[in-house]
Amino acid sequence: MADEAPTGSGKSGAPSKKRKYKVIIIGAGMAGLSSANHLAKNGCTDFAILEARNRVGGRIIGIDMGTQKVELGANWIHGVLGNPMFELAMQHGLISIINIPKPHKVVAATEDGRQVPFQTLQEIYEAYVCFLRRCEEYFLCQYLPPPDIHSVGEHINLEAELYLNNVDDQKEKHLKKLIFECLLKRETCITGCHNMDEIDLLELGSYTELQGGNIVLPTGYSSILKPLCDTLPRENIVLSCPVKTIHWKRKAGRAHSGNNNSDTILEEDEEELDSDDSDKTVTEVPIGGKPASTATASTSDTNENSFKHYTSNVQLECDDGTVYEADHVICTLPLGVLKEHGRTMFVPSLPAYKMESIDALLYGTVDKIFLEYDRPFLNAKISEIMFLWEQVEPEPDADQDEYLNANWFKKIYSFSKVSDTLLLGWISGREAEYMETISHEVVAEKCTEILRKFLKDPFIPKPKRCVCTSWHKQPYSCGSYTAIAVGASQDDIENIAQPMYSSPHQSKPSVLFAGEHTHSNFYSTVHGAYLSGRTAAQILLTPDSPQEIVMESDSSDLSSWIQGIALE
């Protein structure tokens, strides 16, 4: 599959013979690499990264298409001011301060090949941005939205309807409505959802946008992986090692003498807490004062019984049967994987509040379609073609697969130029998931048909190569990135981020969580993943209790955001 291609970056570590570590990091995506770097820089080298794929990077991966390097996952550094990814890129010479933006000329066309006047496109775009900003204000303000309006999509559609009521000419009104619909499709790719009706209106503003716009690295986003991996010992990264089960607490009633590690549960701790019922396990102690859930482990739990002779806080069982032990585990599994396997992967099970939050958040699919050509065919001045599709709503009793088969491609809102001979299209949601089930040849044929139709040119060539991503189908991502669904909130992100303790007597947690889905301000971004990974490592490195962490000096103003606290 396209997004399983090796990046060529980082260390392809030989399997380590060592099976017991102070810290084990699950996943070598940005959060995992960030945790490992922070541990290594602070003198802790007794760690291992267990990565399921045969490469590092997670949802960051680049491949060569002709003379061009293209990114199948993360594309941009979102913002400059206070962005650790921008600072890292600058530090390693991956970006030039002199960044001359390319001329950006967008054209929009209808299905019958009529081009929309640029003035109309600009007018609707400006109105749309205004509506979107108004949606973001609810998070910061005390006033409430109109009754029965709960999602971003509902709010923008209401505003668009009121706006279009002032347009008398029906053809002009319809055209402007199509532009609004196209911009909402674009927003689903930015947000990571099927439809903007899924996104909670009151939480849209919880995402913090950093100043400076979107930055593209000349050598591709995946080039940022090399400097991160170069600082790590080769043998500390174990590739092609999927973790099957995380045994994070032991049953009570057994002493483990001869181990003075304060992070290990001792017999007296367990008896004090569970003297009335040895089948109960000690639950985690939430940092933020949240009520602790109770979990029970049956005496017939053979998995748990088979691990009771180990002395470490956590034991990891891998797909190939290998068992690793650790005092602490930093789990950077994506939200999609936690949704898919969270209930069965942890022994004992994750607390109910954590699973409820995992279920409540949205983890959408956003895929890319790259079309490579032998020769340029688009006007040199045009950088993007927007498609104003006529909406075809499915009948209430329509077969979902039949509808998607006939209409999946109408979710492609545009094609933009990566180079004169390389085009990029985006697709999201159920249509993206459907596209992953069909061949690249079929996708290429349909895209050629679309371009010929909208550009009114039957001679547009077929691409010599078509590459489509398949993030939903990938077992180690199960989608693209996190969004806050209607009814969910920042609290759900913070619940997932909450570390888990095996005993109230532990000074450090047994299991910590990191990844873009654990940062309440920067969810869905690489810098969110990076900061969350660094925070998890810092909790383990700091000698004081987690509440008293002082982060290391940072050149940005994010020091108070790192633990998910917004600046006043």
Side-chain angles (χ1 to χ4, degrees):
M1 290 171 199
D3 41 9
E4 287 301 296
T7 62
S9 302
K11 310 271 188 184
S12 54
S16 171
K17 288 191 168 70
K18 187 175 174 182
R19 296 286 181 262
K20 188 170 181 178
Y21 294 87
K22 183 77 178 169
V23 182
I24 289 180
I25 299 161
I26 303 175
M30 184 50 72
L33 294 175
S34 171
S35 289
N37 267 270
H38 198 58
L39 290 172
K41 282 177 185 173
N42 285 274
C44 174
T45 55
D46 188 12
F47 68 85
I49 307 176
L50 305 184
E51 168 55 48
R53 291 180 169 94
N54 63 356
R55 60 171 180 83
V56 299
R59 284 165 277 168
I60 302 172
I61 173 170
I63 62 165
D64 292 320
M65 283 192 77
T67 57
Q68 194 81 24
K69 175 86 174 283
V70 299
E71 295 300 318
L72 302 179
N75 219 76
W76 296 283
I77 293 178
H78 297 289
V80 171
L81 197 63
N83 190 326
M85 306 321 298
F86 181 77
E87 291 163 13
L88 195 66
M90 286 291 290
Q91 184 186 341
H92 293 279
L94 299 175
I95 194 166
S96 168
I97 296 175
I98 303 164
N99 186 25
I100 302 163
K102 292 176 183 174
H104 189 51
K105 186 184 178 185
V106 181
V107 298
T110 56
E111 283 190 58
D112 59 3
R114 283 184 302 125
Q115 200 169 309
V116 176
F118 183 73
Q119 195 175 348
T120 305
L121 185 60
Q122 190 172 26
E123 176 202 326
I124 299 304
Y125 179 72
E126 286 173 1
Y128 172 80
V129 169
C130 179
F131 301 160
L132 192 66
R133 292 291 171 259
R134 275 213 278 269
C135 290
E136 290 171 349
E137 285 171 10
Y138 286 109
F139 181 75
L140 301 169
C141 301
Q142 297 301 309
Y143 60 88
L144 293 171
D148 302 321
I149 299 289
H150 305 292
S151 72
V152 174
E154 289 167 339
H155 199 283
I156 288 179
N157 281 318
L158 175 64
E159 294 241 43
E161 193 180 326
L162 294 169
Y163 183 89
L164 294 172
N165 282 344
N166 297 319
V167 182
D168 296 324
D169 185 282
Q170 289 306 305
K171 282 187 177 178
E172 184 189 349
K173 186 175 184 173
H174 181 66
L175 184 65
K176 288 180 174 179
K177 185 172 184 286
L178 294 183
I179 298 170
F180 276 124
E181 287 168 353
C182 181
L183 292 169
L184 276 168
K185 285 179 192 173
R186 177 176 175 263
E187 203 66 42
T188 64
C189 291
I190 294 167
T191 304
C193 60
H194 170 68
N195 187 298
M196 292 306 291
D197 289 353
E198 297 174 334
I199 303 301
D200 195 280
L201 175 60
L202 301 181
E203 291 287 328
L204 185 69
S206 64
Y207 173 80
T208 303
E209 204 165 314
L210 299 179
Q211 297 301 306
N214 292 332
I215 306 296
V216 178
L217 297 182
T219 47
Y221 208 137
S222 50
S223 61
I224 211 159
L225 298 172
K226 189 175 186 303
L228 284 167
C229 293
D230 282 348
T231 61
L232 303 176
R234 182 181 294 267
E235 64 277 7
N236 287 35
I237 304 175
V238 186
L239 299 178
S240 302
C241 184
V243 173
K244 184 170 72 174
T245 314
I246 300 165
H247 298 261
W248 64 280
K249 290 185 291 197
R250 287 193 307 276
K251 291 181 65 174
R254 291 268 178 186
H256 300 282
S257 56
N259 189 328
N260 295 321
N261 186 341
S262 64
D263 290 352
T264 303
I265 309 171
L266 301 178
E267 184 182 26
E268 54 269 26
D269 295 339
E270 295 178 330
E271 287 180 350
E272 181 186 330
L273 288 153
D274 290 318
S275 55
D276 60 329
D277 186 348
S278 63
D279 286 344
K280 284 184 180 176
T281 57
V282 181
T283 59
E284 80 291 354
V285 185
I287 292 172
K290 291 182 170 63
S293 305
T294 56
T296 59
S298 165
T299 48
S300 63
D301 187 339
T302 53
N303 270 343
E304 187 65 18
N305 285 337
S306 66
F307 281 90
K308 66 188 178 184
H309 64 281
Y310 287 101
T311 56
S312 300
N313 290 331
V314 192
Q315 296 86 40
L316 305 176
E317 189 181 1
C318 300
D319 275 3
D320 64 0
T322 308
V323 174
Y324 288 87
E325 290 185 73
D327 292 325
H328 313 282
V329 162
I330 299 174
C331 175
T332 74
L333 295 171
L335 179 61
V337 176
L338 292 176
K339 280 178 174 286
E340 195 76 21
H341 303 291
R343 279 181 169 78
T344 56
M345 199 170 193
F346 292 81
V347 178
S349 304
L350 287 172
Y353 80 88
K354 214 177 258 292
M355 276 314 307
E356 284 164 13
S357 289
I358 287 168
D359 292 339
L361 290 169
L362 195 63
Y363 188 76
T365 300
V366 179
D367 280 321
K368 298 179 183 182
I369 304 166
F370 288 98
L371 304 175
E372 187 185 5
Y373 296 89
D374 281 320
R375 59 179 176 81
F377 63 86
L378 266 182
N379 184 310
K381 292 178 183 175
I382 295 172
S383 59
E384 185 174 1
I385 317 129
M386 287 173 64
F387 304 135
L388 306 183
W389 293 101
E390 295 289 342
Q391 290 295 100
V392 181
E393 295 299 327
E395 296 295 325
D397 56 348
D399 180 88
Q400 185 70 15
D401 285 341
E402 281 181 21
Y403 172 77
L404 286 170
N405 181 48
N407 296 285
W408 68 268
F409 48 87
K410 293 182 180 178
K411 197 69 171 287
I412 303 170
Y413 67 87
S414 83
F415 269 103
S416 57
K417 271 185 191 172
V418 179
S419 71
D420 287 337
T421 54
L422 188 62
L423 298 183
L424 166 61
W426 297 75
I427 187 168
S428 67
R430 288 193 285 276
E431 290 84 356
E433 291 170 20
Y434 181 82
M435 183 197 72
E436 293 183 14
T437 68
I438 58 182
S439 71
H440 290 196
E441 289 74 22
V442 171
V443 174
E445 282 172 20
K446 185 51 74 174
C447 290
T448 303
E449 192 183 302
I450 292 167
L451 288 164
R452 287 174 179 177
K453 181 178 188 174
F454 279 88
L455 293 173
K456 239 177 175 174
D457 181 354
F459 300 108
I460 285 174
K462 288 182 180 178
K464 70 174 181 182
R465 188 181 177 197
C466 172
V467 172
C468 308
T469 62
S470 54
W471 290 110
H472 176 72
K473 200 160 63 175
Q474 297 300 319
Y476 307 125
S477 58
C478 301
S480 300
Y481 36 84
T482 304
I484 299 185
V486 171
S489 72
Q490 274 186 321
D491 290 346
D492 292 302
I493 291 174
E494 286 160 10
N495 283 345
I496 297 170
Q498 197 68 255
M500 301 195 301
Y501 292 72
S502 297
S503 156
H505 298 266
Q506 275 184 295
S507 62
K508 303 291 178 195
S510 294
V511 183
L512 302 94
F513 294 86
E516 51 87 14
H517 57 290
T518 66
H519 199 297
S520 56
N521 293 107
F522 300 141
Y523 50 87
S524 82
T525 67
V526 178
H527 59 274
Y530 179 91
L531 290 169
S532 71
R534 194 171 73 177
T535 299
Q538 185 65 30
I539 287 172
L540 297 179
L541 290 165
T542 306
D544 301 317
S545 63
Q547 296 95 321
E548 297 171 14
I549 285 178
V550 178
M551 293 301 293
E552 82 269 27
S553 172
D554 196 317
S555 60
S556 73
D557 61 350
L558 295 181
S559 53
S560 62
W561 277 343
I562 285 163
Q563 296 189 72
I565 303 163
L567 290 173
E568 292 297 330

